[in-house]
Amino acid sequence: MSRVEEFEQLRPLLFSIAYRILGTVSEAEDAVQETWLRYELSPTRPASAKAFFSAVITRVSIDVLRSARRRREEYVGPWFPEPLLTDPYQDPEHSAELADSLSMAALLLLERLSPLERAVFVLREVFGFGFPDIASAVGRSEAACRQLAVRARRHMDAGRPRFEADRREREELAGRFFDALREGNVDGLRELLAADVQLIADSGGKAPQFARGFFGADHVSRVLAALLPPFARIGGVVEPHQVNGQPGAIFRDRDGKVVNTWTLDILDGQILAIRTVLNPDKLGHVGPVADAWAVLRETQLARRDAVDRKGNGTVADDMSA
């Protein structure tokens, strides 16, 4: 097997490790490329390609994460991971861990950990690496890595919900949710939302935050019911799609360009949170990106025209705030 073939065989694993440590598709892809360059420059071939590549991608990702921390602290508004439509790495022995660690909620919990804790947790709890390989990857002793793993697991367990819906239940509820959304059915939406549901957006200051932060089932259901009809009238499409392994959707304009993505956090038969990524810098890997400001202006005009025709009623104008 050539060096290129050896690397390409492990590329999906390397990307999946880097994405979970970094939370961004673009930086994970850069980390994978940097790993290849270091391997290409290595005068010898390692005894275990998997151990070598995993160690390099982990070290590169830790360095990138440390430098990214300050940028995230200065980020405008909420910061969410870049949406991932498909995880390129599959492993039946760790399928549950892989799926759980990919969700937006889990990735946001990982943000609370230090770079070392995050790397150790990902390698150990998600991918099942042994502590000797983890110690080699992060440059710490096995005993230190075990302590890091315990601390990381404690933080993660404290932030996770105690009960999780299975995939079939999530998909069924998401289907009902998007049906009610298309119909603008306020009551239908309200019954699917948790009382303290959150609708939150990540725009990074580069797109209109029409969902900057709405809270509570009554408020969120009215905002959602006001959202889709005018969006549909200007040719917008809501495409249900798995996002980060969870039920979600891709919003597209009339030309099929990506406006934003949604992910739904579902627990105990209710939607706890709707997270939307609007920052165009985070959407390029999903497809050509729409001009969200132009889409918003068209949507507002369509909404006002509809209200004028009816002559009464109100809509969620604060969606553009």
Side-chain angles (χ1 to χ4, degrees):
M1 184 183 295
S2 70
R3 283 196 173 209
V4 172
E5 291 171 332
E6 195 172 42
F7 181 79
E8 289 301 324
Q9 190 175 67
L10 290 167
R11 179 187 287 271
L13 170 64
L14 303 181
F15 173 85
S16 291
I17 291 172
Y19 177 76
R20 285 166 174 82
I21 294 175
L22 295 169
T24 66
V25 173
S26 55
E27 289 176 333
E29 290 174 341
D30 289 344
V32 171
Q33 184 62 25
E34 176 64 22
T35 299
W36 162 250
L37 292 175
R38 294 190 185 187
Y39 179 51
E40 191 177 32
L41 294 173
S42 175
T44 59
R45 296 180 72 168
S48 169
K50 180 179 178 181
F52 174 82
F53 289 141
S54 300
V56 174
I57 196 77
T58 299
R59 293 171 196 151
V60 171
S61 297
I62 289 173
D63 289 343
V64 173
L65 184 60
R66 283 171 173 158
S67 65
R69 284 275 166 133
R70 182 176 297 278
R71 296 198 306 272
R72 293 183 189 179
E73 290 172 358
E74 298 170 352
Y75 194 80
V76 177
W79 183 93
F80 293 157
E82 290 183 7
L84 185 66
L85 303 187
T86 304
D87 187 356
Y89 179 72
Q90 301 296 323
D91 180 357
E93 292 186 8
H94 300 96
S95 59
E97 293 85 354
L98 287 168
D100 178 64
S101 64
L102 196 63
S103 71
M104 282 281 185
L107 290 170
L108 288 171
L109 283 176
L110 283 170
E111 284 291 308
R112 303 179 185 180
L113 306 181
S114 71
L116 275 179
E117 287 173 340
R118 184 165 181 161
V120 170
F121 182 88
V122 166
L123 292 176
R124 179 64 180 172
E125 300 296 328
V126 179
F127 294 95
F129 278 75
F131 281 108
D133 286 337
I134 295 173
S136 174
V138 302
R140 297 290 188 275
S141 68
E142 289 186 41
C145 289
R146 290 180 187 277
Q147 292 178 341
L148 287 166
V150 169
R151 281 206 305 270
R153 192 182 307 115
R154 186 183 302 124
H155 286 308
M156 294 295 289
D157 288 344
R160 282 174 172 154
R162 289 184 296 172
F163 305 99
E164 297 183 358
D166 66 31
R167 181 174 296 276
R168 182 176 298 178
E169 291 174 349
R170 292 200 306 263
E171 293 300 330
E172 188 275 335
L173 189 146
R176 290 163 52 203
F177 170 80
F178 285 115
D179 286 343
L181 184 64
R182 292 185 190 95
E183 297 165 2
N185 183 346
V186 175
D187 292 335
L189 289 166
R190 187 186 296 114
E191 72 177 17
L192 299 174
L193 303 176
D196 57 350
V197 65
Q198 303 177 39
L199 172 60
I200 307 174
D202 171 354
S203 75
K206 298 183 178 183
Q209 280 189 256
F210 57 83
R212 182 173 56 187
F214 301 110
F215 306 91
D218 287 340
H219 194 188
V220 171
S221 61
R222 285 187 283 107
V223 168
L224 293 176
L227 170 67
L228 194 61
F231 181 66
R233 278 195 290 274
I234 66 168
V237 175
V238 179
E239 176 186 314
H241 201 292
Q242 286 279 314
V243 180
N244 286 82
Q246 302 293 112
I250 303 170
F251 282 59
R252 299 184 185 274
D253 68 8
R254 66 166 63 90
D255 298 319
K257 293 182 179 180
V258 178
V259 179
N260 64 301
T261 62
W262 276 12
T263 54
L264 309 180
D265 281 359
I266 297 174
L267 178 67
D268 198 23
Q270 291 184 311
I271 296 171
L272 299 182
I274 302 168
R275 295 188 177 92
T276 175
V277 175
L278 282 153
N279 187 336
D281 295 345
K282 296 185 175 186
L283 298 172
H285 63 282
V286 179
V289 180
D291 181 344
W293 293 104
V295 171
L296 175 63
R297 287 193 293 270
E298 283 192 77
T299 301
Q300 288 177 321
L301 288 173
R303 187 166 65 240
R304 289 166 185 161
D305 288 344
V307 171
D308 290 342
R309 285 196 299 272
K310 289 181 179 179
N312 54 38
T314 61
V315 292
D317 286 329
D318 55 352
M319 290 167 66
S320 62

